Amino acid sequence: MASISSSPRTVEEIFKDYTARRAGLVRALTFDVDNFYSQCDPEKENLCLYGHSNELWEVTLPAEEVPPELPEPALGINFARDGMQRKDWLSLVAVHSDCWLLSVSFYFGARLNRNERSRKRLFSMINDLPSLFEVVTGRKPVKDKPSVDSGSKARNNAKVKSFFLSSSQVSQKHSRRSLDGQAKNNSKLMDENYGDEEDEHGETICGTCGGTYNSDEFWIGCDICERWYHGKCVKITPAKAESIKHYKCPSCCTKKGRQQ
């Protein structure tokens, strides 16, 4: 069991822990949803969905410690899986997971100074992110969608640089990313393929925070898993991106480290 002294203590440390656990749960309920769904076998014992501080998720039995080290997530999520529609079940898991994330954060935040309004600031920071329920159900509005074209990646030998996307760049099926981060548009191809663009590209969300694409924000794509991330979520600035030839997200770096 980790000691209390090693737990997150400041608002920034608690929020960092929150976003890491949330990132793992976002991945379980979106990118890895088929794997997550299959692990929640109703024939198994009471199962819980955990998001860990290393951005990984896990479906397992609840902690045996009494009382547990941290607040526990909802127990027995697997039992309801086959008794309701998949999307409804995922939404239910998302709601309970939101509650669990908040309970863990405010467990850590119990010692924050009330006079400094630290807990209020922590909640405000958490509230700026879309909830898991909003991510899973698509309740957050989508302003624009970045074009994730594997063909352009092959031509450029990478998902070349992170970039800001304009509305016209988003709607072009065959936009090719240049080294300076700008998409070189071909207006003829854009006109010919605009009609089927909406069908080809699904809703793009950040692999870390689960936020939906906004054309005013800086995004970067991983050349390994092809997921997209807010630059601020993976601590990459536009200037720093200029020196990156092949970007590898934190999750892929972690996987490579474990394999070695």
Side-chain angles (χ1 to χ4, degrees):
M1 176 185 294
S3 65
I4 296 296
S5 61
S6 66
S7 300
R9 299 181 68 87
T10 67
V11 171
E12 289 71 22
E13 289 173 346
I14 296 171
F15 182 66
K16 182 179 179 181
D17 180 87
Y18 172 88
T19 55
R21 294 178 188 275
R22 180 181 175 279
L25 295 178
V26 166
R27 186 165 293 115
L29 296 171
T30 56
F31 299 111
D32 300 341
V33 67
D34 291 335
N35 184 16
F36 166 65
Y37 189 85
S38 65
Q39 288 191 35
C40 294
D41 186 348
E43 298 301 320
K44 296 181 179 179
E45 297 183 43
N46 292 302
L47 295 176
C48 300
L49 172 61
Y50 292 87
H52 296 301
S53 56
N54 59 358
E55 300 189 7
L56 299 178
W57 61 272
E58 180 183 20
V59 172
T60 188
L61 296 172
E64 296 181 357
E65 301 165 322
V66 180
E69 177 186 355
L70 294 174
E72 285 290 293
L75 179 66
I77 58 173
N78 51 314
F79 294 149
R81 192 195 72 175
D82 293 347
M84 54 200 307
Q85 293 187 10
R86 173 167 163 152
K87 64 178 182 178
D88 294 332
W89 177 74
L90 290 173
S91 298
L92 180 63
V93 174
V95 169
H96 283 290
S97 296
D98 279 321
C99 295
W100 176 70
L101 285 172
L102 286 172
S103 68
V104 171
S105 291
F106 281 86
Y107 170 82
F108 289 137
R111 298 186 178 186
L112 292 175
N113 191 323
R114 177 177 177 273
N115 294 331
E116 296 176 358
R117 298 185 178 182
S118 299
R119 286 193 293 274
K120 183 177 181 180
R121 183 158 65 93
L122 173 61
F123 181 79
S124 178
M125 294 168 70
I126 290 174
N127 198 48
D128 284 340
L129 296 174
S131 68
L132 294 175
F133 177 75
E134 289 173 325
V135 172
V136 170
T137 60
R139 295 290 179 92
K140 297 296 288 184
V142 181
K143 297 181 180 179
D144 289 297
K145 304 171 185 177
S147 174
V148 184
D149 184 0
S150 59
S152 66
K153 177 179 177 180
R155 289 192 295 273
N156 291 282
N157 195 31
K159 193 172 294 177
V160 186
K161 297 294 178 290
S162 45
F163 51 92
F164 290 96
L165 291 175
S166 66
S167 298
S168 61
Q169 289 168 335
V170 168
S171 63
Q172 182 180 349
K173 180 177 180 181
H174 297 292
S175 63
R176 186 168 74 86
R177 298 164 203 165
S178 63
L179 289 176
D180 62 358
Q182 301 295 323
K184 295 181 179 178
N185 293 320
N186 183 309
S187 58
K188 181 177 180 180
L189 285 174
M190 180 176 67
D191 294 338
E192 291 175 352
N193 295 289
Y194 182 81
D196 62 355
E197 182 63 21
E198 289 301 316
D199 295 331
E200 180 179 351
H201 300 302
E203 179 178 318
T204 301
I205 63 176
C206 174
T208 295
C209 72
T212 50
Y213 173 69
N214 185 330
S215 61
D216 296 328
E217 297 176 315
F218 179 69
W219 286 64
I220 187 168
C222 176
D223 288 296
I224 306 300
C225 65
E226 298 191 350
R227 291 172 182 157
W228 289 88
Y229 299 86
H230 289 111
K232 62 183 179 182
C233 289
V234 291
K235 296 181 174 59
I236 299 293
T237 63
K240 186 175 181 180
E242 290 299 320
S243 63
I244 301 175
K245 294 183 178 180
H246 303 282
Y247 176 67
K248 186 182 297 183
C249 70
S251 178
C252 289
C253 290
T254 301
K255 291 178 181 178
K256 182 177 180 181
R258 289 202 306 269
Q259 290 173 354
Q260 293 176 342

